[in-house]
Amino acid sequence: LPLDGPVPFGVYQSGPWVLFFKRVFLVAGILGVLGSLDWLEQRTPRRQAEYYALLLFSLSGMTLIPGVRDWVLMVICFELMGIPLAVLAALGKVDGPEGEPKLGPEAGFKLFITSAVSSSLTLFGLAIVVGLTGTSSIVGQPVPGAAPLYSVGLRLVLAGFCFKVGAAPFHLWVPDTYQGA
């Protein structure tokens, strides 16, 4: 990919801010790897490759999101980021003190259900938005007279993305997921 400018069909565009956010996500990923080296060695000595592969998939979705200029690619990037996170939440399924409930599988399941609901909201909203604009480009304009329905579609898309990242008021299961993971 070029360091600056658009790619074919205008679905992605790089620039200084996109590069800045990519670097922030990559630094966060490196810190996550460095912070988990001992934990992986102690808790999951045979499953380290799974952890790193899932982290890499999630990180690749995160680094693509800032430059996205197309709704379809945006949904793909959010799913590429979200599904590995649900698996990572359930990775330590047998961790914890003896006799205590193992919360990892429950955390992964709740994160997966949250992801599925957010994806359905997003895709339903995108069906409305793309149907009205005739394009999957984020900067597409609706046909005249379709503004109320276009607004509903955009609100559904926004609700789906807020649900995916756990923003209020869509954050009910996020604390349970963090506790279990």
Side-chain angles (χ1 to χ4, degrees):
L1 289 175
L3 290 177
D4 196 16
V7 296
F9 305 109
V11 297
Y12 187 87
Q13 185 168 358
S14 187
W17 279 106
V18 173
L19 188 60
F20 170 75
F21 283 111
K22 282 183 178 185
R23 289 177 179 165
V24 168
F25 293 138
L26 290 173
V27 167
I30 290 169
L31 290 175
V33 167
L34 292 175
S36 64
L37 288 174
D38 289 338
W39 179 84
L40 280 174
E41 187 64 35
Q42 293 171 358
R43 302 275 177 103
T44 57
R46 294 185 196 172
R47 298 171 59 190
Q48 294 176 0
E50 296 169 14
Y51 174 82
Y52 294 125
L54 290 167
L55 189 66
L56 186 62
F57 280 122
S58 184
L59 195 59
S60 64
M62 287 180 209
T63 57
L64 286 173
I65 288 174
V68 168
R69 300 291 182 260
D70 188 74
W71 288 116
V72 176
L73 186 58
M74 176 80 80
V75 170
I76 290 170
C77 290
F78 263 90
E79 292 304 315
L80 186 59
M81 175 189 69
I83 293 174
L85 290 178
V87 177
L88 282 171
L91 188 66
K93 60 186 174 190
V94 294
D95 289 344
E98 192 67 34
E100 292 288 321
K102 309 302 184 225
L103 301 175
E106 180 184 356
F109 183 69
K110 284 183 177 181
L111 195 57
F112 178 74
I113 293 297
T114 302
S115 179
V117 169
S118 72
S119 296
S120 63
L121 279 174
T122 302
L123 291 174
F124 185 64
L126 283 181
I128 295 171
V129 169
V130 171
L132 289 174
T133 60
T135 180
S136 63
S137 176
I138 290 178
V139 295
Q141 296 296 320
V143 294
L149 192 55
Y150 183 77
S151 176
V152 168
L154 281 181
R155 288 175 193 215
L156 283 170
V157 170
L158 181 65
F161 287 145
C162 287
F163 211 111
K164 177 78 75 180
V165 298
F170 308 103
H171 64 288
L172 299 177
W173 275 355
V174 173
D176 291 342
T177 303
Y178 289 162
Q179 178 189 7

